Amino acid sequence: MNPTPITRRDFVRATSVLATAPLSAGLLSTAQAADARTPAAPAPKQAPPRLPKTAYPHPLLTPADKFEDVSRGNPKPHTLTGDALVQARLTPETWRLQITADPTVDEIVKLPASITRPLTLADGTALDLAALMELGKKHGVKFIKAMQCLNIATPLGQGLWEGVPLREVLRLCGRMSNVRRIYYWGFHNNDPKQRFQSSLSYTAAMETPPGELPAFLAYRLNGAPIPLERGGPVRMVIPWSHGFKSIKWLQQIVLTNDFKANDTYAIANNDPESHLKTAAYLDEVGGKIPVGRTVLVSGLVISGWSGLKRVEYWVRAGSDKPGELSEDDPAWQSARWAECRLDDAPADWGHVFPDGVSPREVLGFDPKTGQPATWPLRYSMISWSASLSGLAPGKYEVRARAVDLNGYAQPEPRPMLKTGRNAIQVRRFEVG
Ligand SMILES: Nc1nc2c(c(=O)[nH]1)N[C@H]1C(S)=C(S)[C@@H](COP(=O)(O)O)O[C@H]1N2
Ligand SMILES: [Mo]
């Protein structure tokens, strides 16, 4: 479906229809309009929009304990307490990061990776939290990232993460030779088979193109130490990626001359180099809505790798047997998509950020003006909404999709499920 980018003309057609015609006729395709019911009496005075269950607008920063959790392992590291936590080196005092070189060679990888200053527990050189935070005084970065799983249909949360770019940490290891990839993992449990690991190319770790954001080792979330549940004391954060590269409870980095991704996520047929998708997500639109009441449709949108131009919605009369529209259903071809409102950037970031954080020091903001360089910020999510009024009694379906900066409407340009879920969500409601 939607094999070609939607054109500006299509878009103007959809939105001008919205502006000039009543919803019940204007937004539905001809076939649907024929079956759409017209109100018998003049519409009653408009009631205020009803709020969906998920409160709109969504707060820009998700409190650390309100993130959805995606953690493998049995037991999960964040269930450890007391001495077990100390043994696992998951307290701020006991946390250590080892960085070593992988000696492996084979028929293809003929030369082993090497570094002149490995950081190891054995010789007492492993990095501790105090040293990492000291590096942060000079090289520290802060930014807002939407955490989203490649495999889950709703975003997990959004945080202001703070830490040190990976490249600054790798510079502690002296001269590197034959390093093509950075492997890394965190504490899991004592069963090596359950280890959750990920990787980056050398380039992705060491270089940052203009406007892009660096991979970094985070030790603060929303102005406080990262709680154990969110992967503290130290978590890798990969801005451009889905959650699986943002390894929690980080403890080991291995520099290797292997050129292959070793990501745990590659095992289940996922693309281990997939990037965060631009995608719209729909809040619930509760059940039955009285005639004449404005229906507020809302949700979240992630500005992913390809940026965000706008969010669109499509309302159609619902069938009595609600089912998903199949990808080749002709209804997609005649769908009338209309533009949604995107929430503006807050006028005062002081209300959003924790005390002492100025937008001027957050990546993605103009350091002079303190205004976001793009809106939404790259790899962040914001709320969107649309008000539907004048709907005749009946059953409806509403869908939403994001259009990226290249003009591609979701689920393009990467409809492959295993590069990140990107299905167009649908909610059903009834007016009457
Ligand atoms: N050590 C470790 N890190 C991990 C995982 C894990 O199971 N173990 N899950 C990953 C996946 S698949 C996702 S989507 C994110 C979820 O982050 P959250 O639990 O903070 O929301 O963490 C990633 N980091
Ligand atoms: Mo995930």
Side-chain angles (χ1 to χ4, degrees):
M1 75 188 108
N2 307 313
T4 47
I6 60 163
T7 63
R8 184 169 155 75
R9 198 157 39 111
D10 293 337
F11 170 60
V12 169
R13 208 189 312 139
T15 46
S16 55
V17 157
L18 171 69
T20 54
L23 242 177
S24 49
L27 277 185
L28 309 180
S29 68
T30 327
Q32 294 149 9
D35 113 336
R37 290 126 286 214
T38 29
K45 234 179 101 208
Q46 268 196 5
R50 75 181 286 292
L51 289 180
K53 245 192 233 156
T54 334
Y56 166 85
H58 302 261
L60 273 175
L61 298 185
T62 311
D65 61 347
K66 294 279 173 344
F67 277 62
E68 299 287 334
D69 184 81
V70 183
S71 303
R72 309 296 194 287
N74 187 20
K76 294 185 198 300
H78 57 265
T79 60
L80 300 181
T81 54
D83 195 46
L85 205 55
V86 171
Q87 293 305 316
R89 297 189 174 283
L90 286 177
T91 65
E93 299 73 29
T94 55
W95 180 82
R96 296 289 183 279
L97 173 68
Q98 299 196 90
I99 308 182
T100 54
D102 175 6
T104 313
V105 286
D106 60 27
E107 270 158 38
I108 295 173
V109 181
K110 299 203 175 69
L111 298 166
S114 69
I115 46 179
T116 52
R117 283 197 54 216
L119 309 183
T120 64
L121 281 170
D123 68 6
T125 52
L127 191 71
D128 63 19
L129 189 56
L132 182 65
M133 292 177 75
E134 192 57 34
L135 266 184
K137 286 187 187 155
K138 186 154 180 223
H139 303 288
V141 293
K142 299 186 176 77
F143 75 95
I144 300 182
K145 172 178 169 57
M147 195 60 75
Q148 169 61 318
C149 181
L150 182 149
N151 284 316
I152 294 179
T154 47
L156 306 170
Q158 174 157 274
L160 175 71
W161 300 91
E162 187 179 335
V164 180
L166 174 58
R167 60 171 173 261
E168 302 302 339
V169 174
L170 295 182
R171 283 199 177 111
L172 301 175
C173 300
R175 209 155 54 82
M176 287 185 214
S177 309
N178 298 307
V179 174
R180 282 188 282 180
R181 238 179 140 78
I182 291 53
Y183 287 173
Y184 53 96
W185 58 88
F187 178 83
H188 231 248
N189 52 43
N190 295 326
D191 176 4
K193 280 198 224 104
Q194 292 190 22
R195 193 162 82 195
F196 191 91
Q197 61 191 20
S198 192
S199 69
L200 291 175
S201 74
Y202 178 85
T203 307
M206 301 304 280
E207 294 173 26
T208 306
E212 188 52 85
L213 302 157
F216 73 102
L217 283 69
Y219 45 77
R220 288 174 84 77
L221 169 58
N222 297 342
I226 302 178
L228 191 59
E229 297 72 42
R230 288 278 70 68
V234 177
R235 172 180 195 164
M236 192 73 88
V237 172
I238 309 300
W240 60 85
S241 185
H242 289 102
F244 70 90
K245 290 224 189 257
S246 293
I247 293 290
K248 296 184 274 197
W249 313 293
L250 182 72
Q251 290 185 337
Q252 183 77 51
I253 294 178
V254 173
L255 304 171
T256 178
N257 199 19
D258 193 353
F259 54 91
K260 290 191 193 124
N262 71 339
D263 297 42
T264 299
Y265 252 41
I267 295 168
N269 193 35
N270 301 299
D271 169 9
E273 290 301 310
S274 68
H275 287 64
L276 195 60
K277 273 188 190 270
T278 292
Y281 301 91
L282 259 167
D283 293 336
E284 285 174 33
V285 186
K288 208 161 179 179
I289 293 149
V291 183
R293 184 177 282 185
T294 299
V295 183
L296 181 73
V297 179
S298 62
L300 284 163
V301 60
I302 294 183
S303 177
W305 180 236
S306 56
L308 178 72
K309 198 175 274 175
R310 61 178 177 272
V311 174
E312 300 175 337
Y313 71 96
W314 169 33
V315 185
R316 68 195 291 263
S319 67
D320 286 335
K321 269 195 287 163
E324 287 298 320
L325 280 183
S326 71
E327 281 190 20
D328 44 13
D329 194 298
W332 291 109
Q333 299 309 318
S334 55
R336 297 285 190 92
W337 293 93
E339 192 165 8
C340 303
R341 289 184 299 269
L342 294 182
D343 273 15
D344 290 330
D348 178 6
W349 284 90
H351 295 306
V352 176
F353 287 144
D355 286 349
V357 175
S358 153
R360 289 187 168 76
E361 48 173 336
V362 178
L363 295 184
F365 287 76
D366 183 326
K368 288 203 192 81
T369 63
Q371 295 303 310
T374 56
W375 191 253
L377 292 157
R378 262 166 102 60
Y379 313 125
S380 81
M381 60 181 173
I382 60 169
S383 304
W384 60 265
S385 62
S387 307
L388 318 184
S389 49
L391 288 176
K395 287 184 175 147
Y396 293 92
E397 296 176 352
V398 60
R399 288 176 171 76
R401 68 180 186 185
V403 178
D404 74 10
L405 287 175
N406 300 311
Y408 281 95
Q410 190 182 330
E412 294 285 357
R414 289 174 287 127
M416 212 263 265
L417 180 66
K418 292 309 202 167
T419 67
R421 272 181 87 123
N422 206 21
I424 295 180
Q425 297 185 338
V426 59
R427 300 284 182 215
R428 298 188 172 79
F429 61 93
E430 189 170 354
V431 172

